[in-house]
Amino acid sequence: MIVRLLTAADRVAFRGLRARALAEDPASFGRTAEEEAGVERLRMEASLETPEPATFLLGAERDGVLLGICGTYQGQTAKTRHTAEIVSVYVAPEARGAGVGAALVTEALARLARAGIAVAKLSVAEESGAARRLYERLGFETYGREPAGYRWRGRDWTLLLMRRELLLPPS
C-alpha cells in the first residue's frame, strides 16, 4: 500500500471513491450522494492542482487502485492558522482492518506538523465506533458533542468533536 498526495491526475478516482463513500456511509459525511453528484467541482478539489503544506488530499492505493482518502484544511484567519481540520476520511470496505485509515491519518498528521500546525481537529459520528477508536488510538481527544449535527431522512447523528495537539505552543 502507498499513501501519497493526490494530484489533478487522480480527480476521477477521487470523485469515484468519494461518491462511493457518501452512498455507503451517509453518517460520516455532511453532504448526501445526491447533493454532491450535482456539484461540478468540490472545494477540496482545488488542492489536487495546488496543494498547500496544510491543505491537501491524500490517497491510499494498492496496485494502482485508490482505496482510501483523507483531506485537510488549514484555518484561514490569523487566529486559526495554527489549526487544521481533517476531513473526508474514508476507506473502502474491502480494505478496512488493514491499517489503511491509520496510515492516511498518520501521514496527514506528520505533514501538518511539518507545516507548523499546532492543533488537528475533526468530527466523527458518535455511532462510527471503528473510526472513533482509530482517532483515539492516534491521540485525538473528544472535547465536545454536537447532538443532531447531521439530520437526514428523519434521522439524527450526534457528532463528536475531537482534537489533537501536534506542536507545543510557544512559551
Side-chain angles (χ1 to χ4, degrees):
M1 176 187 59
I2 297 168
V3 174
R4 65 176 177 82
L5 202 60
L6 295 179
T7 69
D10 299 303
R11 181 180 314 286
V12 171
F14 166 75
R15 285 297 294 255
L17 190 58
R18 172 114 172 130
R20 184 177 173 194
L22 297 176
E24 293 176 355
D25 198 3
S28 296
F29 300 93
R31 277 200 182 124
T32 67
E34 297 81 10
E35 283 175 317
E36 193 154 298
V39 177
E40 186 175 323
R41 182 180 159 102
L42 302 173
R43 176 179 161 228
M44 69 180 72
E45 285 182 271
S47 66
L48 293 173
E49 285 92 23
T50 54
E52 298 175 15
T55 299
F56 52 81
L57 282 168
L58 296 175
E61 63 183 23
R62 185 179 308 127
D63 300 324
V65 176
L66 190 63
L67 298 171
I69 53 177
C70 175
T72 67
Y73 286 113
Q74 183 174 11
Q76 294 299 298
T77 68
K79 293 181 180 179
T80 64
R81 279 185 182 48
H82 68 289
T83 69
E85 186 172 359
I86 294 178
V87 297
S88 296
V89 178
Y90 176 75
V91 175
E94 64 272 16
R96 291 181 186 162
V100 175
L104 282 164
V105 176
T106 298
E107 177 64 19
L109 293 172
R111 286 175 179 265
L112 293 173
R114 286 194 302 271
I117 298 298
V119 178
K121 301 185 291 184
L122 57 83
S123 64
V124 62
E126 189 171 47
E127 72 180 37
S128 297
R132 187 183 71 247
R133 287 187 297 277
L134 167 66
Y135 299 139
E136 289 170 346
R137 278 195 315 274
L138 294 177
F140 284 85
E141 296 178 347
T142 300
Y143 69 90
R145 295 175 78 248
E146 183 179 356
Y150 293 155
R151 177 174 286 162
W152 187 55
R153 294 186 175 166
R155 177 142 185 233
D156 288 350
W157 287 276
T158 294
L159 298 179
L160 299 178
L161 310 176
M162 302 182 83
R163 68 188 306 275
R164 178 188 161 177
E165 298 282 336
L166 300 178
L167 302 172
L168 295 174
S171 40

